Structure formats: structure tokens, C-alpha cells
Amino acid sequence: MKPVSELSGRTVVLGVSGGVAAYKSAELARLLVKAGADVRVVMTESAQHFVGPATFQAITGQAVWSDPWDARMPNGMAHIDLTRDAQLILIAPATADCIARLAQGRADDLLSTLCLARDEGCALMVAPAMNRQMWEHPATRRNVATLVDDGTYMEGPAAGEQACGEVGAGRMVEPADLLEAVLSHFTPKSLAGRQVLITAGPTSEAIDPVRVITNLSSGRMGYALAQAAVRAGARVTLVSGPTALALPRGVRRIDVASARDMRDAVMNNLSGTDVFVSVAAVADYRPASPSGRKIKKSADSMSLELVRNPDILAEVAARADAPFCVGFAAESHELDSYAQDKRRSKRLPLVVGNLVSDGLGSEDNLVVLYDDEGRHPLERASKAAVARAILEHISRLLKG
Ligand code: CTP
């Protein structure tokens, strides 16, 4: 099984109209290119007052278009050829004027003509950016309603401080969030209507007020799964141990520290859950009696009595109303036999196994999936790509 890269094979036309936020579109173009998309930039004339075509040309490695009469297009059909094999036109920023023109079906510049002349397989996504009063004006409200009626995806605007110094709705959605919207747009909704609960990160077990027992889990694999599940249409709750990671868009997070906190958060949020993915590196033991005061050094040696923590995954999987449970097995050796043992002993339909040397704390992961049918190795890939492949496997098992 081969995890595929996020936007490879996708062609996106990035339309840039004339607003201050046009400078952020250069970053958006970079993110789209980095995610593997073939990016063609079309600028309106006024956009070029804010940022030059050379910037986009350097970032995308492709010619930038703005003139419908551009002689570079071999057959003189720029208004059709640029979107012929595109699956998406993303206009960011879209000014009030640009939105008005789209709503009216105008075709007197290249960008509006491309939008009008595109075929059904090419979606239109619009990220408005304008002064808050322009956004609130009844004319803009009407135009936006028309675009939505026509099947356009609106992203934003966001609220906050504006270039003019006013505060309100009208800021362009940030490039990273627009990339997320594009990724989500292209992700098949294989988990639509499903509720997914995920644990991630390490746990932290107190020894005294300043010392803890923890482990090297970064939380990245669990966060990547949460993000991929949201993109696949699921409602996602992430119960997270201490990590330094940003919360993926659309995910509800509950922060916990110890294994017992994590267990309580899982049990309190289990109702309605269809899929439970237990990625957290839960400490198996905790100090038997943490000291309320900082322990002072006195003797040459000291010993710490540890007691077992609850096994959260085993407890969930043993319930009569258990959701579809997925466990993780991080092993230093004999991966196949330990992972299969875990699957059987905790009665899990699916275990994701990896050697600690292959994934713990790193950006990439190399995993093997174990289910009733046997073992399914995935190729080494980013945790985001591995997360997508794991979720595809889960959705196939859920359907089967
Ligand atoms: N797990 C859990 N609660 C625990 C311990 C583990 O929910 N107290 C979950 C992990 O999130 C993971 C799986 O169980 O999905 C790992 O199984 P486990 O047998 O506990 O693995 P290890 O803790 O690595 O066990 P061992 O040290 O015996 O290999």
C-alpha cells in the first residue's frame, strides 16, 4: 500500500485580485506548490499594483497570466486552456469588485472569463478580503449569496484588524488555513458522519511538584490523524497529553497530563464515538505516592515505587458498546509478534505497528497495519501521508 502525496496530480488556478492581502497569496502559492499541486497564477491588473508577477513566477516556476490577449498561449485561448485540466480555481484575495463581477458573470478580464468558461469538474473557491463596510454592504451580501447559490465555496473572511486600521470582518483567511481548505476540498469524505476520538502525545506522571515521568512521544502521529480525519469529513475530538503542536483546524482538543486524566477524558467523551484511535504513548506506571512537596536530595540513592496505570484502550475495547478500536504498538524489536499479540489480547480489529527507531519523535513514519487479514506494510512517508493511508484502511474496514 502506497500513501500518496497531498496535492500531486492536482492543478489549481490561483486567482489574485487587487487587495493588500495579495502579498499573502505569494505564501499561499508556495504552500500549494509544496503540497504537490501544479499551480497556475492569474492576476488581475490591479493585483499587480500590490505584488509583481515575477514573485509568483519564481515561486510556481510557471508563467503568470493576466491578459486575455496574451500571445504566449499557442492557440490564443488562454481563457479556456488555463483551466482545461484544472480541478480548482482559488481566488485569494477576492475583492468586493471581483466578487461583484463573478456574481454578474462578467467576462471582461482573464480571471472572470476563466471562472465563467470553466467546466463542471473545476470548482471555484473564493477567499474575500476587503474593508469591513464593503463586506457588510447589502450589495456585497447579495453578490456573495449569488455565488454561494451558484455552488462557489466561500472561505472567510476572517475578522480582526484591517489594513485600513479598522477592526471587523474582511481579512483574508490565512494562507495555511486556505491550504487546509484546499486539502479538505480534495479529500474524499470517507468518514462523513463519523465521530472519531483520538488520544495523542505522551502522558506526564508527577513525582513531586517539579518532576515528572514522561516519554519521547511528540504527538505528531496523533495530530496528523486528527487532521486527516477532519479532512475526511469526521467530527474529531483529540485528547492530548503535553505537546508543542498547533491544534489542527476543525479539531476539538481536550488537554490532559496524566494517564488517569486521559482515561477520564476518554470515558467522558466516548458516547457517540464510532472510531477510537489510541495513539498516545500512555505511561504504563506512575509513582505510587507523589510528594506534595519538592523532594530534597539527602541519601546517596533513592527508589521510587511505581504502580500500574489504567489501560485506556483495553478498557474501551472491552465495553459492550465499544467503538471500532485502533491501537498502536511501538516496539524496539520483534514488531510482528508483539503487535499481533497486542491486537489479540486487547481484542482490536486493527493495530498500527512501528519500530521505535522508525517513528518516535520524528517527522516520518514507517508502519505496518495488522488486521484479521494479516499484515499490510505501508511505505515510509510523512506522518500526514501515513495518517491518510491509515484512515483509508479504517474506512474500508468499517464498510466491510
Ligand atoms: N495504551 C493505553 N493505555 C495504557 C497503555 C497503552 O491506552 N495504559 C494504548 C496505547 O495508546 C497504544 C496501545 O495501548 O495504542 C499500546 O499497547 P500496550 O500493550 O500498552 O503497549 P506498551 O505500553 O508499549 O506495552 P509494553 O510495554 O508491554 O510493550
Side-chain angles (χ1 to χ4, degrees):
M1 252 184 280
K2 188 177 176 180
V4 284
S5 124
E6 293 175 310
L7 291 177
S8 66
R10 303 289 188 184
T11 298
V12 177
V13 171
L14 175 60
V16 184
S17 69
V20 187
Y23 80 93
K24 292 188 181 177
S25 306
E27 171 68 359
L28 176 58
R30 192 187 68 81
L31 294 174
L32 290 167
V33 168
K34 201 172 155 212
D38 174 7
V39 182
R40 296 172 194 166
V41 176
V42 176
M43 302 180 78
T44 63
E45 207 185 309
S46 56
Q48 296 176 43
H49 291 285
F50 293 95
V51 56
T55 305
F56 290 103
Q57 187 162 346
I59 289 170
T60 62
Q62 300 208 47
V64 172
W65 304 87
S66 70
D67 177 4
W69 308 108
D70 196 320
R72 287 173 301 173
M73 195 58 83
N75 60 0
M77 292 279 178
H79 68 291
I80 293 172
D81 278 2
L82 284 171
T83 53
R84 185 152 281 170
D85 49 1
Q87 294 86 37
L88 179 69
I89 300 178
L90 166 60
I91 306 185
T95 60
D97 180 63
C98 173
I99 287 171
R101 295 151 58 77
L102 294 174
Q104 288 170 20
R106 299 274 288 273
D108 54 359
D109 71 0
L110 182 58
L111 184 55
S112 57
T113 312
L114 283 170
C115 291
L116 201 61
R118 75 189 202 281
D119 68 28
E120 275 174 17
C122 181
L124 177 61
M125 189 182 281
V126 166
M130 66 196 75
N131 164 272
R132 68 178 176 84
Q133 278 167 322
M134 294 168 91
W135 174 249
E136 282 155 16
H137 195 283
T140 305
R141 316 260 22 100
R142 269 197 309 276
N143 292 333
V144 168
T146 302
L147 287 190
V148 171
D149 262 4
D150 290 347
T152 307
Y153 300 97
M154 301 299 297
E155 287 299 324
E161 198 175 320
Q162 304 205 294
C164 54
E166 294 180 15
V167 177
R171 283 171 60 90
M172 188 177 92
V173 169
E174 291 300 324
D177 289 335
L178 287 175
L179 173 72
E180 187 53 39
V182 171
L183 292 171
S184 177
H185 172 76
F186 284 124
T187 306
K189 299 292 171 262
S190 55
L191 293 174
R194 304 278 192 186
Q195 197 165 309
V196 176
L197 181 62
I198 298 172
T199 63
T203 60
S204 166
E205 311 292 334
I207 298 171
D208 70 11
V210 296
R211 299 178 181 98
V212 297
I213 296 177
T214 186
N215 58 65
L216 293 179
S217 166
S218 65
R220 279 196 204 102
M221 194 62 236
Y223 277 60
L225 274 159
Q227 184 155 49
V230 166
R231 283 181 197 158
R235 271 170 297 138
V236 180
T237 301
L238 181 64
V239 178
S240 175
T243 73
L245 301 173
L247 180 64
R249 199 182 189 205
V251 173
R252 182 169 78 104
R253 179 171 66 189
I254 300 167
D255 289 316
V256 295
S258 70
R260 288 189 296 175
D261 294 344
M262 187 172 271
R263 181 215 165 263
D264 291 347
V266 166
M267 295 307 161
N268 291 338
N269 287 278
L270 203 55
S271 154
T273 295
D274 299 294
V275 181
F276 175 54
V277 192
S278 182
V279 197
V282 185
D284 290 323
Y285 297 90
R286 67 177 184 277
S289 39
S291 166
R293 293 174 158 203
K294 187 179 167 206
I295 300 169
K296 304 303 277 182
K297 56 180 172 300
S298 47
D300 281 347
S301 67
M302 71 173 284
S303 54
L304 206 54
E305 192 195 345
L306 301 176
V307 292
R308 279 290 285 270
N309 265 331
D311 188 321
I312 306 167
L313 176 57
E315 187 176 337
V316 172
R319 289 169 64 110
D321 61 349
F324 184 95
C325 287
V326 183
F328 272 66
E331 307 293 342
S332 60
H333 57 289
E334 289 179 53
L335 179 60
D336 283 352
S337 62
Y338 282 130
Q340 289 287 23
D341 282 352
K342 274 176 198 177
R343 203 172 79 79
R344 279 187 285 270
S345 67
K346 297 195 192 191
R347 300 200 186 167
L348 307 172
L350 181 65
V351 161
V352 181
N354 72 296
L355 290 169
V356 282
S357 52
D358 283 330
L360 196 72
S362 74
E363 296 281 348
D364 283 5
N365 211 353
L366 179 61
V367 306
V368 181
L369 308 186
Y370 300 88
D371 61 16
D372 283 345
E373 309 279 298
R375 70 192 291 280
H376 313 272
L378 301 185
E379 284 186 8
R380 173 179 283 285
S382 69
K383 287 184 175 171
V386 171
R388 278 200 304 282
I390 293 171
L391 289 178
E392 275 166 29
H393 199 86
I394 292 174
S395 82
R396 270 199 299 276
L397 291 179
L398 283 173
K399 281 181 195 132

